[in-house]
Amino acid sequence: MRPQFSDNRLEPIHDKVLSEERLSFDDGQILYESPDLIGVGYLANIVRERKNGNTAYFNMNQHIDYTNVCILHARCHFCAFARKDIETEGAWELSVDDFLAKAMYSIEQGCTEIHSVGGHHPNLPFDYYLRLLRTLKEQMPQVHLKFFTASEIHHLARISKLSIKDTLEALHEAGLDSMPGGGAEIFAPETRDKICRGKISAEVWLDIHCQAHELGIPSNATMLYGHIETTEDRVDHLIRLRETQDKSGGFITFIPLAFHPENTRLGHLPSTSGITDLRNIAVSRLMLDNFPHIRAYWIMVGLKMAQIGLNFGADDIHGTVTEEKITHMAGAKTPQVITADEIKRLICEAGRVPVERDTLYNEIIRKGNKWYRKAA
Ligand code: V47
């Protein structure tokens, strides 16, 4: 039975979704502007269930940010995390030993992934990053290390005086398993320039991910929404990611990131609404036809919205986290940790089937304190 859309511009998009035809830039604009959010969510859910059935994924992970000292601290207007130097209030740098101690604690709690990003530190030598990865891999070889945004990789290439490819290869060899999707912000050059002048361009961000994919390092992608970007900027961002994925194929998950204004230089802007959050989840599911997974990142959209997001295109709710800085320093009211049982309860209540995954979406099986990856 065909649904009744209150916005008839969704009719031809519905036909395309049913016949698995790629959506155009104009379709993306309509999806962002349509007053029929339920209709947009219905369409996204078709793609979500086609790709991932009734499953909703989560993982047991820990965020450990090695430093927030950042040479770009004055450039990124959306950031409440960065500090000028270690003397500034709220700044930190973790030694390899401190990092290891935090990671060990998480591993004892059953985490399968460490997610780590940091500022572009002016003095930490390249060797610090290699030692960090090597030490963790030695101590916890079964744990997946998802480290360093493309922007950090660019910084590391600069301080090591290596090419991007050689930098990635050295990090991979030291233990890097995949890269998170941060640093993408918004690709459209005029808007990007206004919110983070001097940060790597869209072209460089995309090229670094392509090079990582060629070396067998998969990655995620993000888009920061809810600041000064236009709907054209959002559609442009999604299409650039889709085109890159056509070429390189190494993106795993797309994570729309809801801007949190508190303590940032964009603090006059309002927080995103539930409608905007759900729409970004749904439109990304529809436009990114070649991305296997879309995440409702509960840290940023809240647990309640993430739960609803599972019926608006998302098939993943992120993980247990333990300690999160980037969003909480910008005023997030969500908790910093949630138990696996609570995640499972929320997923079941949303009518989905919870599956614990590792970073690459292999199912995790647990027996007592032990876990292993289910053979495909
Ligand atoms: O690049 C910074 C964003 C990103 C704010 O790949 C902010 O699995 C909202 O990318 N309000 C880093 N967002 C986080 C990130 C991420 C998170 C979870 C999972 C993964 C993954 C990646 O956070 C930054 C920037 O776009 N950000 N400040 C803020 N005030």
Side-chain angles (χ1 to χ4, degrees):
M1 197 178 68
R2 270 186 90 84
Q4 198 72 50
F5 294 109
S6 66
D7 177 357
N8 59 17
R9 294 175 304 165
L10 297 185
E11 294 287 352
I13 300 180
H14 184 214
D15 292 336
K16 283 189 181 180
V17 168
L18 291 180
S19 58
E20 299 186 40
E21 196 182 317
R22 183 158 273 194
L23 302 186
S24 67
F25 191 98
D26 290 347
D27 293 331
Q29 288 259 73
I30 291 171
L31 291 166
Y32 267 120
E33 283 161 12
S34 173
D36 187 358
L37 177 68
I38 299 296
V40 174
Y42 171 87
L43 296 176
N45 195 48
I46 296 175
V47 182
R48 183 249 190 263
E49 290 188 354
R50 184 186 294 143
K51 285 189 185 284
N52 291 294
N54 207 21
T55 300
Y57 293 99
F58 70 98
N59 76 341
M60 287 196 65
N61 66 343
Q62 155 77 315
H63 288 207
I64 307 175
D65 298 333
Y66 54 94
T67 185
N68 63 343
V69 175
C70 185
I71 54 174
L72 294 180
H73 71 97
R75 306 257 187 157
C76 294
H77 292 192
F78 55 80
C79 181
F81 167 85
R83 293 291 182 274
K84 180 169 179 271
D85 52 37
I86 196 64
E87 310 306 329
T88 311
E89 202 194 330
W92 72 84
E93 292 167 6
L94 293 181
S95 67
V96 171
D97 284 348
D98 289 345
F99 194 115
L100 179 63
K102 278 180 180 271
M104 280 300 201
Y105 169 79
S106 328
I107 297 327
E108 282 158 20
Q109 311 301 307
C111 286
T112 64
E113 170 194 286
I114 308 283
H115 162 116
S116 183
V117 296
H120 298 9
H121 195 288
N123 312 119
L124 281 177
F126 188 48
D127 183 57
Y128 165 86
Y129 302 88
L130 297 175
R131 269 191 304 120
L132 183 59
L133 290 167
R134 278 199 199 110
T135 307
L136 294 167
K137 256 303 165 229
E138 256 168 45
Q139 298 292 323
M140 44 189 77
Q142 79 284 19
V143 172
H144 185 107
L145 303 180
K146 171 160 62 87
F147 276 43
F148 312 133
T149 65
S151 190
E152 287 163 270
I153 299 289
H154 187 260
H155 173 69
L156 298 189
R158 212 173 50 80
I159 61 169
S160 64
K161 301 193 170 44
L162 294 172
S163 65
I164 297 289
K165 179 165 182 269
D166 289 349
T167 305
L168 284 166
E169 257 172 351
L171 295 168
H172 195 25
E173 192 271 328
L176 178 76
D177 291 309
S178 71
M179 281 165 54
E185 324 312 358
I186 198 81
F187 291 147
E190 270 183 32
T191 310
R192 190 175 186 83
D193 205 44
K194 285 189 190 129
I195 62 164
C196 54
R197 178 170 298 170
K199 199 163 191 166
I200 56 170
S201 65
E203 289 71 21
V204 173
W205 190 96
L206 291 165
D207 177 57
I208 291 173
H209 280 262
C210 268
Q211 293 200 48
H213 298 169
E214 269 167 36
L215 294 171
I217 306 167
S219 67
N220 291 335
T222 59
M223 174 175 76
L224 184 66
Y225 68 88
H227 45 91
I228 57 164
E229 84 288 359
T230 62
T231 54
E232 285 89 343
D233 292 343
R234 292 179 188 168
V235 179
D236 166 75
H237 192 99
L238 297 175
I239 289 183
R240 288 190 204 222
L241 285 174
R242 188 169 78 183
E243 285 170 355
T244 306
Q245 177 77 328
D246 278 342
K247 283 188 265 166
S248 68
F251 286 118
I252 318 164
T253 307
F254 176 74
I255 309 145
L257 300 176
F259 175 55
H260 282 58
E262 221 173 287
N263 305 323
T264 77
R265 260 171 287 162
L266 299 172
H268 56 285
L269 296 175
S271 300
T272 62
S273 67
I275 301 287
T276 304
D277 293 335
L278 288 179
R279 193 184 295 273
N280 275 283
I281 291 169
V283 180
S284 55
R285 179 60 290 166
L286 286 159
M287 295 303 291
L288 295 176
D289 53 22
N290 51 7
F291 272 61
H293 304 284
I294 303 290
R295 185 172 307 164
Y297 182 35
W298 67 265
I299 286 275
M300 286 195 184
V301 298
L303 286 163
K304 293 179 180 178
M305 213 43 77
Q307 211 182 7
I308 302 173
L310 295 175
N311 286 293
F312 271 74
D315 60 282
D316 188 295
I317 200 165
H318 199 68
T320 45
V321 178
T322 316
E323 181 181 285
E324 199 279 342
K325 301 277 194 205
I326 294 177
T327 330
H328 286 83
M329 289 173 81
K333 303 291 181 284
T334 47
Q336 293 200 30
V337 62
I338 177 173
T339 62
D341 282 346
E342 179 65 357
I343 292 188
K344 286 189 221 166
R345 189 184 68 77
L346 293 170
I347 290 174
C348 290
E349 210 187 56
R352 301 299 189 186
V353 178
V355 171
E356 185 187 342
R357 61 162 176 86
D358 69 2
T359 315
L360 305 177
Y361 290 80
N362 298 299
E363 187 174 341
I364 297 289
I365 307 293
R366 290 192 181 264
K367 288 230 168 87
N369 288 338
K370 301 223 178 314
W371 60 267
Y372 58 92
R373 296 179 170 92
K374 190 175 167 184

